[in-house]
Amino acid sequence: MQRTGWGRLALATALVSSLGAGTALAETLRLSHNTGDGTTWHQGAERFGELLAERTEGEMALRVFPNAQLAGGDQMRQADMVGRGALDFVMTSAINVTPLVQEMAVFSLPYLYENYAQVDATTADGGPAEALRDILREKGIEVLAWGENGFREVTNNTRPIRSPEDMRGLNMRVAGPMYIDVMNALGANPQQMQWTETMTALQQGVVDGQENPIGAVIIPQQVYEVQSHLTAWHYSYDPIFLGMSREKFDAYDADTQAMLREVAAEAMDYQRQITREGTETGIAFLREKGMEVYEPTPEELEAFRTATQPAFDQWAERVGPDLVASFREAIAQAD
């Protein structure tokens, strides 16, 4: 008979006790994520660890490593490590997995989404994001739950961004290959860079600006201390996901697997909630901190949408027209 993960741990504990060790063994698992320990990413990861310990009565423990520490600061490498079984869990954004699974760029196609209802329709159980779970599973990663990085906004130290022409010539830090093409379409000079290097690059003027969500990154990482302008252009959405080594996941029985999914979903629901709360109050907070915040008109947003259409078309073809169509169908039904 197959033992549950908890049953195996209980047996191991009993054996150690019988040998006179006198202490219970806990299975310690490791989770790596991209950002600092003050972000909603980290809060979600810590919540996952708390829930995991509660549900297993301490027989599972989680160690959280921020700033991609276990991957030498390389946020792109974390997913590959999980896929190879070298790391138990990863919390990362979809765009950071595109070198491994280019279909993950579908979430971040420029101006695909307009609101959270549309986002939630695509990541809900049974939604089109299920296809991406299947692809990642083939790469050795079991997606346990979706969370949120959020709608990415642009910041810089040079000038207000009110039109595509204002982007021309700016040196912009970007996170992934799709954003290189988007920035090129806008006439900017994209520079792909690890997040761990970005704040220093902004401080030293190596790059003029960057783009990231307000609630998950710009505020908790204090980007407002090194950037003077923000445009809330909502040009791209970026989810995060909590993934587990498929090899590790498959070693557990069905009950333990179900528990892992439930705990992950609860933790990511919490992470999504606090991220959206931070985003909702973020504009006012950033203005209080001295940032010049510009909120484009519908007509100005349409100009950005038109300018980025070539990048949309290019990447829609790369991720697959059928996948894009399934996302668009779910979005249309959410309206």
Side-chain angles (χ1 to χ4, degrees):
M1 186 175 88
Q2 185 183 25
R3 293 183 180 276
T4 67
W6 307 337
R8 289 195 299 272
L9 287 167
L11 176 60
T13 299
L15 289 172
V16 171
S17 296
S18 69
L19 292 172
T23 57
L25 292 179
E27 182 181 21
T28 301
L29 303 165
R30 299 180 302 161
L31 183 153
S32 180
H33 70 79
N34 302 6
T35 62
D37 58 11
T39 63
T40 65
W41 294 48
H42 194 78
Q43 291 174 269
E46 288 191 321
R47 183 62 178 149
F48 178 59
E50 292 167 0
L51 292 169
L52 201 59
E54 289 174 9
R55 287 290 296 273
T56 64
E57 297 182 349
E59 291 183 354
M60 282 186 179
L62 185 72
R63 291 190 65 191
V64 178
F65 296 86
N67 294 315
Q69 292 174 16
L70 299 182
D74 188 341
Q75 60 199 50
M76 303 280 186
R77 186 166 160 247
Q78 297 170 110
D80 179 65
M81 290 177 66
V82 170
R84 292 186 287 105
L87 185 60
D88 301 310
F89 297 102
V90 64
M91 184 183 292
T92 190
S93 69
I95 202 65
N96 283 301
V97 190
T98 54
L100 181 67
V101 178
Q102 67 177 3
E103 290 90 344
M104 290 293 281
V106 66
F107 292 103
S108 302
L109 291 169
Y111 294 102
L112 176 67
Y113 297 106
E114 293 182 4
N115 54 56
Y116 291 133
Q118 294 176 352
V119 168
D120 294 343
T122 59
T123 57
D125 289 345
E130 293 294 331
L132 297 167
R133 287 181 185 262
D134 294 339
I135 295 171
L136 283 165
R137 190 174 293 118
E138 293 172 2
K139 299 292 185 179
I141 302 169
E142 189 70 33
V143 176
L144 299 180
W146 298 100
E148 182 157 283
N149 200 22
F151 284 100
R152 304 177 75 97
E153 318 294 13
V154 64
T155 71
N156 82 101
N157 267 337
T158 304
R159 55 180 172 264
I161 303 299
R162 297 188 175 95
S163 70
E165 289 72 26
D166 293 328
M167 291 293 296
R168 294 191 181 280
L170 294 181
N171 295 316
M172 299 298 298
R173 179 267 177 181
V174 295
M178 189 196 73
Y179 292 126
I180 292 176
D181 294 327
V182 172
M183 289 298 164
N184 282 330
L186 291 167
N189 302 317
Q191 298 187 32
Q192 188 167 337
M193 185 181 297
Q194 300 292 333
W195 178 252
T196 52
E197 304 167 349
T198 300
M199 290 295 285
T200 300
L202 291 169
Q203 288 173 324
Q204 296 177 348
V206 175
V207 291
D208 299 310
Q210 61 85 54
E211 45 74 59
N212 255 306
I214 290 174
V217 177
I218 290 174
I219 290 176
Q221 296 275 242
Q222 300 177 320
V223 175
Y224 53 83
E225 292 187 351
V226 295
Q227 296 274 267
S228 55
H229 302 284
L230 181 144
T231 295
W233 62 353
H234 313 316
Y235 87 121
S236 180
Y237 178 81
D238 194 22
I240 64 175
F241 68 88
L242 178 52
M244 185 176 188
S245 161
R246 179 182 175 184
E247 179 183 1
K248 188 79 173 179
F249 183 80
D250 287 347
Y252 293 117
D253 70 358
D255 288 342
T256 307
Q257 290 176 350
M259 179 275 296
L260 287 165
R261 290 191 188 281
E262 291 168 5
V263 167
E266 185 173 343
M268 290 295 92
D269 284 346
Y270 166 75
Q271 187 275 335
R272 188 184 303 108
Q273 176 186 344
I274 60 176
T275 297
R276 292 183 181 180
E277 288 172 353
T279 298
E280 184 177 358
T281 60
I283 294 291
F285 176 85
L286 292 173
R287 283 179 170 143
E288 289 175 3
K289 290 296 182 179
M291 286 197 85
E292 182 180 336
V293 178
Y294 186 71
E295 298 179 79
T297 67
E299 293 76 18
E300 288 169 333
L301 288 175
E302 186 59 34
F304 285 117
R305 183 178 291 105
T306 299
T308 55
Q309 190 65 46
F312 184 108
D313 294 340
Q314 177 183 350
W315 277 86
E317 187 64 30
R318 291 179 68 171
V319 304
D322 290 344
L323 181 60
V324 175
S326 69
F327 269 68
R328 281 178 153 166
E329 182 179 353
I331 287 168
Q333 292 176 352
D335 290 336

